[in-house]
């Protein structure tokens, strides 16, 4: 995507998300849980679907009356279940659409991340038929329209020996056997494929967010229930193949491609569907991402502690039996094809500490393109830049993937750039403050719950809070450390965060070391 369009889309997305954060709070912002919300909607669809199925008759003659019974005679439960089933399915289409748009705009689909994107496309080919076969089963006039139009579509493919449209010439030609096949596809075949597809989609992601926060889930379910009560899902009149099918009460979520069939031909619809799927599938290579060199392990410095394995968001590091004869059981091994070069592993390694002598500063795992040693050099250069500052000195560590660094630098901030904020080993903060290279350290990164590399902000928060290794040592005064998880906020907002922190530091005065003891974290 040309960079202007990308920046414009990013700006728009961040404004929309900001609005949602103001309403829902950042923790419950649906934009940060789109994949998980989609899975939640599928659970709602599953549970309500089981209820509906108990009362559903899978025969041509029985289907319509059984759904009518649920909708009207049992409106208080069966009707609500049916409506929830319909509305949760529609909501899933909305969240899937936003999920695709967001991953694309945030450029999270190229490089080694192609896999999640590419495996997302077949999911679309399962979700849409799932919804379409659902409409079919109601066997009302909309179902008739869907059945006739779908058979026109399928008949141009060399799948069936007999044209499928023959099944829908007269009311008598619709067989129970055919109806049972649809029910099987909708109730069992497609859901099983979808489940397997989602598992595959998440295969290369470590700790995927598959559940939305409970508050967001409950709130969403409550909103759907209110909708189900206020505007219950209803059927149209019963299907009657003696008359032209109508498409009143059309569903624009699942049946989007059908109007194209009315205006064009089945071949045109297939061309559009296959063409757009191919284009979406190829998006990770249009153009391909210039990949940064993967993390590398330095065996003499690796003790096999496994922290890098625990923190890598992409399952790119594993522990394997030791090969160099050192007295440790395991060693870290990187799979370069899975590595996004985020540097989070280097931030997790206990040997990544600037408090070591410079000649020793080769951690167990590091990024060749931006090694820990360079971070230390940049930190010292930033400290020199700050030395002439007469006000409280703020050293900023910022994630290049989530923060507008140019804006920061243009405003004279002393910034050290990182691939991800969790590339920063907490020992650096200790180093800066205890050696008085600055009066305080500000960490700038992506929005909370929306880290470009998925887990960087969460790991950083946990390391600062002492809940995750390597943690920030207790001796570091917490009032001298600040975080701003603002993402692509405007220059004014970042500068405001820096100024506010500087004012707070000014009131604290210069740092006085409480204990002379130094050492490594
Ligand atoms: C049934 C529909 C889908 C579901 C339930 C789903 C769910 C998810 C979930 C839960 C994640 C992990 C989020 C995280 O923990 O960071 C994810 C990641 C991702 N999804 Fe989907 N997804 C679906 C469809 C799609 C489609 C159609 C595409 C694109 C064509 C797509 C592209 C991606 C990408 C690129 C990521 C990885 C982002 C990263 O590397 O950080 N997804 N999806
Ligand atoms: S650089 Fe990132 S993706 Fe690569 S191994 Fe380290 S933590 Fe994993
Ligand atoms: S965190 Fe460092 S020392 Fe621990 S296993 Fe990984 S590379 Fe080795």
């Amino acid at each position: 995507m040309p960079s202007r369009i990308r920046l414009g889309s990013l700006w728009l997305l961040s404004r929309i998300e900001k609005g949602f954060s103001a309403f829902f709070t950042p923790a419950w912002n649906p934009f940060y849980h789109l994949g998980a919300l989609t899975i939640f909607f599928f659970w709602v669809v599953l549970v309500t679907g089981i209820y509906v199925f108990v009362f559903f008759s899978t025969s041509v003659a029985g289907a319509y009356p059984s759904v009518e019974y649920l909708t009207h005679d049992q409106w208080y439960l069966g009707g609500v279940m049916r409506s929830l089933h319909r509305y949760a399915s529609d909501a899933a289409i909305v969240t899937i659409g936003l999920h695709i748009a967001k991953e694309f705009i945030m450029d999270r689909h190229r490089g080694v991340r192609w896999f999640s994107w590419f495996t997302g496309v077949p999911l679309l080919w399962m979700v849409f038929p799932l919804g379409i076969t659902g409409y079919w089963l109601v066997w009302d006039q909309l179902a008739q329209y869907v059945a006739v139009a779908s058979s026109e579509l399928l008949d141009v493919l060399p799948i069936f020996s007999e044209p499928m449209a023959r099944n829908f010439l007269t009311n008598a030609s619709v067989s129970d056997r055919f109806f049972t096949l649809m029910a099987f596809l909708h109730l069992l075949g497609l859901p099983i494929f979808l489940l397997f597809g989602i598992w595959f989609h998440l295969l290369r992601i470590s700790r995927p967010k598959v559940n939305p926060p409970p508050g967001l889930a409950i709130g969403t379910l409550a909103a759907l229930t209110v909708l189900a009560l206020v505007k219950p899902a209803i059927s149209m009149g019963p299907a009657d193949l003696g008359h032209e099918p109508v498409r009143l009460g059309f569903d624009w979520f699942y049946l989007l491609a059908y109007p194209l069939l009315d205006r064009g031909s089945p071949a045109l619809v297939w061309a559009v569907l296959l063409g757009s799927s191919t284009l979406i599938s190829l998006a990770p290579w249009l153009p391909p991402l210039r990949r940064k060199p993967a993390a590398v392990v330095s065996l003499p410095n690796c003790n096999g502690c496994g922290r890098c394995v625990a923190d890598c968001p992409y399952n790119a590091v594993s522990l394997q039996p030791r090969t160099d004869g050192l007295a440790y059981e395991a060693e870290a091994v990187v799979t370069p094809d899975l590595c996004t070069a985020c540097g989070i592993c280097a931030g997790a390694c206990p040997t990544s500490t600037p408090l070591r002598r410079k000649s020793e500063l080769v951690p167990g795992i590091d990024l060749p393109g931006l090694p820990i040693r360079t971070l230390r050099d940049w930190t010292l250069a930033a400290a020199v830049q700050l030395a002439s500052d007469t006000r409280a000195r703020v050293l900023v560590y910022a994630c290049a993937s989530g923060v507008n660094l140019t804006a920061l630098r243009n405003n004279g901030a002393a910034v050290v750039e990182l691939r991800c904020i969790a590339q920063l080993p907490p020992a650096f903060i200790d180093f800066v403050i205890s050696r008085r290279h600055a009066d305080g350290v500000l960490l700038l990164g992506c929005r909370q719950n929306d880290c470009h590399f998925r887990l960087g902000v969460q790991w950083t928060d946990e390391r600062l809070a002492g809940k995750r290794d390597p943690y920030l040592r207790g001796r570091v005064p917490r009032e001298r450390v600040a975080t701003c998880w603002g993402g692509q906020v405007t220059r004014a907002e970042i500068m405001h965060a820096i100024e506010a922190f500087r004012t707070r530091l000014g009131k604290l005065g210069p740092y006085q070391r409480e204990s002379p003891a130094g050492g490594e974290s």
Side-chain angles (χ1 to χ4, degrees):
M1 193 168 16
S3 67
R4 263 196 194 178
I5 302 181
R6 192 175 120 72
L7 281 178
S9 320
L10 263 177
W11 180 86
L12 186 66
L13 183 67
S14 81
R15 292 290 108 180
I16 296 172
E17 288 183 353
K18 202 174 168 196
F20 272 78
S21 277
F23 188 75
F24 287 92
T25 75
W28 289 2
N29 188 334
F31 274 84
Y32 302 157
H33 304 280
L34 290 167
L37 265 180
T38 308
I39 294 177
F40 175 70
F41 290 134
F42 288 149
W43 287 125
V44 176
V45 168
L46 181 74
V47 172
T48 52
I50 290 173
Y51 186 89
V52 170
F53 179 63
V54 169
F55 294 90
F56 182 70
S57 162
T58 49
S59 65
V60 184
Y64 185 82
S66 67
V67 178
E68 284 296 277
Y69 163 77
L70 272 177
T71 310
H72 300 292
D73 299 6
Q74 213 199 90
W75 64 268
Y76 48 88
L77 186 57
V80 171
M81 288 291 185
R82 179 195 178 185
S83 303
L84 277 177
H85 192 69
R86 158 102 57 102
Y87 294 143
S89 314
D90 289 345
I93 292 294
V94 175
T95 47
I96 291 173
L98 292 172
H99 177 56
I100 299 175
K102 180 163 173 167
E103 299 305 321
F104 183 73
I105 292 171
M106 307 279 293
D107 204 7
R108 291 177 183 165
H109 63 299
R110 296 190 299 151
V112 300
R113 296 162 104 167
W114 69 270
F115 183 86
S116 300
W117 179 270
F118 198 77
T119 54
V121 180
L123 296 182
L124 297 175
W125 282 85
M126 295 169 204
V127 171
F128 280 98
L130 195 55
I132 291 166
T133 48
Y135 273 107
W136 200 312
L137 288 180
V138 178
W139 207 228
D140 63 353
Q141 286 168 19
L142 182 61
Q144 180 184 341
Y145 166 78
V146 172
V148 172
S150 304
S151 49
E152 271 178 46
L153 265 181
L154 291 173
D155 280 344
V156 296
L157 302 178
I159 306 177
F160 305 107
S161 51
E162 299 253 317
M164 201 177 141
R166 276 199 195 162
N167 288 290
F168 305 108
L169 290 177
T170 61
N171 286 329
S173 57
V174 188
S175 72
D176 276 348
R177 217 157 50 113
F178 190 79
F179 216 75
T180 312
L181 173 71
M182 279 305 129
F184 171 77
L185 277 179
H186 183 73
L187 300 168
L188 214 60
L190 287 166
I192 287 175
F193 271 111
L194 184 61
L195 203 66
F196 175 74
I198 294 175
W199 169 78
F200 202 60
H201 180 57
L202 303 178
L203 203 59
R204 288 200 177 176
I205 289 183
S206 119
R207 302 163 200 253
K209 274 195 283 184
V210 288
N211 294 313
L216 178 61
I218 293 168
T220 309
L221 185 61
L224 288 180
T225 310
V226 171
L227 182 65
L229 287 167
V230 174
K231 195 176 183 319
I234 48 166
S235 309
M236 295 175 60
D240 178 3
L241 290 164
H243 291 92
E244 267 288 289
V246 285
R247 62 174 182 86
L248 287 171
F250 196 70
D251 180 290
W252 287 101
F253 295 95
Y254 282 91
L255 308 179
L256 202 65
Y258 285 75
L260 204 61
L261 190 61
D262 295 342
R263 306 242 161 96
S265 64
L268 174 74
V269 175
W270 282 117
V272 170
L273 293 180
L274 293 173
S276 50
S277 296
T278 310
L279 197 66
I280 298 174
S281 304
L282 294 179
W285 298 278
L286 298 173
L289 185 74
R290 240 191 295 143
R291 274 176 60 184
K292 301 189 168 76
V296 286
V297 173
S298 159
L299 267 192
N301 292 292
C302 170
N303 62 21
C305 69
R307 287 182 191 174
C308 53
V309 180
D311 280 12
C312 174
Y314 292 97
N315 292 328
V317 207
S318 55
L319 279 187
Q320 291 182 19
R322 202 79 197 183
T323 55
D324 60 356
L326 285 187
Y328 302 111
E329 277 183 13
E331 65 188 38
V333 175
V334 174
T335 309
D337 280 348
L338 301 181
C339 176
T340 58
C342 65
I344 293 178
C345 49
C349 185
T351 55
S352 294
T353 164
L355 298 160
R356 294 167 81 187
R357 280 209 310 275
K358 192 177 174 187
S359 59
E360 292 172 346
L361 194 42
V362 178
I365 191 164
D366 210 354
L367 283 188
L370 182 50
I372 291 291
R373 196 186 281 215
T374 303
L375 290 188
R376 185 174 129 136
D377 292 344
W378 287 356
T379 299
L380 294 174
V384 171
Q385 181 189 337
L386 285 171
S388 55
D389 213 332
T390 50
R391 298 169 304 159
R393 295 162 305 146
V394 177
L395 199 147
V396 179
Y397 286 103
C399 152
S401 314
V403 178
N404 186 343
L405 289 169
T406 319
L408 269 174
R409 294 208 171 99
N410 289 346
N411 277 273
V415 188
V416 175
E417 170 184 337
L418 305 155
R419 290 275 170 77
C420 170
I421 196 64
Q423 187 187 5
L424 183 72
F428 270 70
I429 303 174
D430 192 358
F431 173 69
V432 169
I433 293 174
S434 63
R435 303 275 167 99
R436 297 190 180 84
H437 290 306
D439 298 306
V441 171
L442 176 65
L443 308 184
L444 293 181
C446 307
R447 291 185 193 280
Q448 209 145 23
N449 297 316
D450 198 29
C451 171
H452 185 73
F453 291 109
R454 302 186 50 251
L455 300 171
V457 170
Q458 186 186 341
W459 290 168
T460 304
D461 274 338
E462 291 181 14
R463 289 172 189 169
L464 295 185
K467 293 180 184 159
R468 187 175 196 84
D469 279 332
Y471 55 82
L472 182 62
R473 296 183 73 174
R475 69 179 188 181
V476 179
R478 294 310 196 259
E479 62 278 14
R480 291 184 184 273
V481 184
T483 55
C484 173
W485 306 141
Q488 298 279 345
V489 293
T490 61
R491 188 178 56 189
E493 283 170 82
I494 299 181
M495 295 320 292
H496 176 76
I498 296 179
E499 275 314 311
F501 185 43
R502 185 172 280 146
T503 308
R504 289 206 305 276
L505 288 174
K507 289 181 188 152
L508 291 177
Y511 168 68
Q512 306 290 337
R513 179 178 282 192
E514 281 167 17
S515 144
E520 297 182 10
S521 96

